[in-house]
């Protein structure tokens, strides 16, 4: 079974490690209460301990306990962003000769850290209804093939609320995949960065694999998902309450120490405040989720009306569009793969439109991730107005942004039809 290295199909000579686009930001000004906490801690000269100070770890325990995942401080580690934690986890779990499995597509930052360590990464297809979690039968077949070729799959990374597809895996699918993975001896890393951004929390059932098989799952949450601005890197990991979990925790701390991967003291203070979920932060988060849910639904309607396919977004601040139905029309404009589509749409939309190849999808698949943050306006005043308006989609600057998105897809189809060779 062939592993994938994005970019190699295009003959690029930059090594096997590829780093994809950042997490979609919320596009909003920083919460004033959060800024105040950061500012108050800015005068601290002391460094945070590797893995996080006791106050931060206690706040993380409270955060997970409120979500049905109780834990103690000795089960938690903090780092300067989820990538640092995933790198340490991958190094601790996937030593020499060990292979890593991820869904196809998956978050752009997952696979590069395994490749940085020289570990093979194998993508497993996801079912049609959702992303983030591999199809259990495809997972078993992939494990069988990797082992038949002499590999040793040991680590599976998955997500409960997905980047890039913006979907939430149904509990029954999660259960089947977790059972299949643990039966094959895989340790699971559950990326739960987007779990607090579910658009309809009373209608969408989100279940963590750590609730199903707590002894086999490490949970990672990047606070940039719903709690902190992306420019304030902080993340937390929750380890199993087992002997193996304690050893993994200790090994991850060793690796973070070797990397000098500490959270800056002011950011750690803000992270602890955010994890405690005080009323101002909880209210802002809920308002932000409502706003992006409305904008994502409108963007989804515009993309589908333009002839593309997309799963209805259920979480996050993005959607994943498949322009496969327009392939023949796009080919007339010289667009034949995801990189060329990314270049075209980024220019036409005036905002990043990373291609699906950055998320582990085939280069030939015409897919892109579109973020909703850029649709909220160009100034802090416009974005704040979106947050406080009872009808943000009716604001003139939001209407203009959505019309521009719709027009870009309409023009894409119309231009392609004009360039199409007469039959």
């Amino acid at each position: 079974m062939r592993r994938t290295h994005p970019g190699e199909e295009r003959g690029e000579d930059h090594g096997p490690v590829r780093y994809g686009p950042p997490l979609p930001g919320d596009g909003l000004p920083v919460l004033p209460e959060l800024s105040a906490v950061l500012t108050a801690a800015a005068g601290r000269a002391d460094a945070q301990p590797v893995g996080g100070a006791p106050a931060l770890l206690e706040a993380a325990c409270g955060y997970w306990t409120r979500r049905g995942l109780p834990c103690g401080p000795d089960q938690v580690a903090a780092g300067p962003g989820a990538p640092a934690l995933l790198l340490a986890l991958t190094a601790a779990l996937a030593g020499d000769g060990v292979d890593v499995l991820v869904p196809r597509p998956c978050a752009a930052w997952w696979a590069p850290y395994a490749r940085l360590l020289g570990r093979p990464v194998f993508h497993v297809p996801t079912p049609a209804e959702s992303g983030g979690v591999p199809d259990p039968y495809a997972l078993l077949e992939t494990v069988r093939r990797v082992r038949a070729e002499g590999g040793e799959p040991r680590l599976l990374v998955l997500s409960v609320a997905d980047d890039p597809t913006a979907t939430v895996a149904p509990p029954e699918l999660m259960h089947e995949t977790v059972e299949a993975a643990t039966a094959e001896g895989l340790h699971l890393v559950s990326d739960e960065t987007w779990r607090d951004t579910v658009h309809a929390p009373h209608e969408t059932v989100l279940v963590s694999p750590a609730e199903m098989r707590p002894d086999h799952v490490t949970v990672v949450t990047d606070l940039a998902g719903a709690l902190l601005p992306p420019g304030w890197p902080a993340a937390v990991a929750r380890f199993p309450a087992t002997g193996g979990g304690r050893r993994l925790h200790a090994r991850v701390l060793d690796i973070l120490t070797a990397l000098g991967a500490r959270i800056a003291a002011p950011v750690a203070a803000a992270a602890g405040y955010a994890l405690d979920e005080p009323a101002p932060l909880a209210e802002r988060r809920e308002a932000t989720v409502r706003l992006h849910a409305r904008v994502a639904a409108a963007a989804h309607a515009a993309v589908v009306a333009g002839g593309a396919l997309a799963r209805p977004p259920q979480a996050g601040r993005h959607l994943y569009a498949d322009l496969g139905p327009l392939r023949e029309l796009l080919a007339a404009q010289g667009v034949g793969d995801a990189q060329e589509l990314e270049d075209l749409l980024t220019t036409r939309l005036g905002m990043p439109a990373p291609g699906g190849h950055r998320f582990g999808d085939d280069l030939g698949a015409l897919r892109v991730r579109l973020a909703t943050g850029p649709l909220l306006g160009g100034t802090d005043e416009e974005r704040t107005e979106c947050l406080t308006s009872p009808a943000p989609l009716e604001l003139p600057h939001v209407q203009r942004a959505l019309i521009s998105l719709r027009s870009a897809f309409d023009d894409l189809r119309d231009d392609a039809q004009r360039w199409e060779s007469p039959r």
Side-chain angles (χ1 to χ4, degrees):
M1 176 174 289
R2 183 177 181 274
R3 73 194 72 164
T4 57
H5 294 320
E8 65 183 6
E9 302 92 337
R10 302 177 62 82
E12 298 174 3
D13 185 19
H14 303 294
V17 179
R18 296 289 181 271
Y19 296 91
L23 298 177
D26 63 17
L28 299 169
V30 177
L31 179 71
E33 289 83 354
L34 205 54
S35 294
V37 173
L38 184 95
T39 301
R44 297 181 186 173
D46 55 315
Q48 283 279 299
V50 171
L56 178 57
L57 302 184
E58 288 285 357
C61 291
Y63 170 86
W64 273 312
T65 297
R66 290 189 293 275
R67 285 154 180 79
L69 297 173
C71 56
D74 59 345
Q75 289 176 254
V76 179
L85 288 178
L86 185 59
L87 175 63
L89 279 164
T90 304
L93 287 165
D96 292 341
V98 172
D99 304 319
V100 180
L101 305 179
V102 296
R104 183 189 299 277
C106 69
W109 55 275
W110 289 357
Y113 295 94
R115 295 189 182 116
L116 184 65
L117 297 167
R119 302 313 321 135
V121 177
F122 295 93
H123 289 268
V124 186
T126 55
E129 65 269 22
S130 64
V133 177
D135 176 88
Y137 300 102
L139 175 65
L140 292 173
E141 177 62 15
T142 302
V143 169
R144 184 192 67 79
R145 291 184 180 180
V146 172
R147 287 177 176 160
E149 296 178 5
E152 186 184 352
R154 188 178 296 174
L155 172 61
L156 170 64
V157 187
L158 47 71
S159 60
V160 296
D162 188 42
D163 173 19
T165 66
T167 57
V168 177
E172 56 273 17
L173 170 65
M174 180 71 77
H175 184 267
E176 291 175 6
T177 299
V178 169
E179 288 298 309
T182 55
E184 293 296 330
L186 302 179
H187 187 88
L188 280 66
V189 172
S190 176
D191 176 11
E192 303 192 3
T193 295
W194 300 102
R195 69 169 298 154
D196 294 329
T197 67
V198 174
H199 296 172
H202 299 298
E203 302 171 15
T204 306
V205 180
L206 185 151
V207 180
S208 169
E211 298 177 62
M212 301 175 180
R213 296 299 297 269
D215 294 351
H216 299 271
V217 180
T218 297
V219 177
V220 173
T221 298
D222 195 310
L223 304 193
L227 298 176
L228 290 181
W232 301 4
V236 286
R238 176 191 182 274
F239 297 84
T242 63
R246 286 188 289 273
R247 289 189 293 273
L248 177 60
H249 178 258
R251 179 61 179 147
V252 165
L253 291 179
D254 285 343
I255 296 168
L256 293 175
T257 300
L259 295 172
R262 294 176 171 85
I263 302 179
V267 175
Y273 173 85
L275 286 165
D276 281 336
E277 301 178 286
L281 185 135
E283 292 167 3
R284 161 64 82 88
R285 182 180 59 204
E286 291 172 5
T288 301
V289 171
R290 285 195 303 269
L291 170 62
H292 282 279
R294 292 174 180 176
V295 176
H300 176 263
V303 166
V304 172
L309 301 174
R311 297 183 180 106
Q314 297 174 287
R317 305 184 281 262
H318 53 283
L319 66 152
Y320 199 53
D322 183 350
L323 278 72
L326 304 176
R327 179 176 295 278
E328 291 186 7
L329 301 177
L330 288 168
Q333 297 186 78
V335 175
D337 63 29
Q339 181 61 60
E340 292 165 348
L341 180 62
E342 173 184 313
D343 294 341
L344 179 67
L345 284 180
T346 296
T347 300
R348 294 215 173 187
L349 296 175
M351 67 182 200
H357 61 301
R358 301 187 183 276
F359 307 99
D361 251 334
D362 291 332
L363 180 64
L366 298 176
R367 298 178 184 134
V368 293
R369 186 190 72 185
L370 302 173
T372 51
L375 303 175
L376 302 183
T379 67
D380 283 349
E381 290 74 16
E382 288 180 341
R383 296 168 187 143
T384 300
E385 188 179 10
C386 289
L387 193 64
T388 57
S389 171
L393 299 183
E394 297 177 10
L395 294 173
H397 59 276
V398 177
Q399 286 188 335
R400 287 194 298 269
L402 290 170
I403 290 171
S404 177
L405 176 65
R406 190 176 302 111
S407 296
F409 275 83
D410 290 342
D411 292 347
L412 195 67
R413 183 180 52 201
D414 294 343
D415 288 352
Q417 288 172 337
R418 284 194 293 270
W419 280 97
E420 192 176 19
S421 300
R423 291 181 173 84

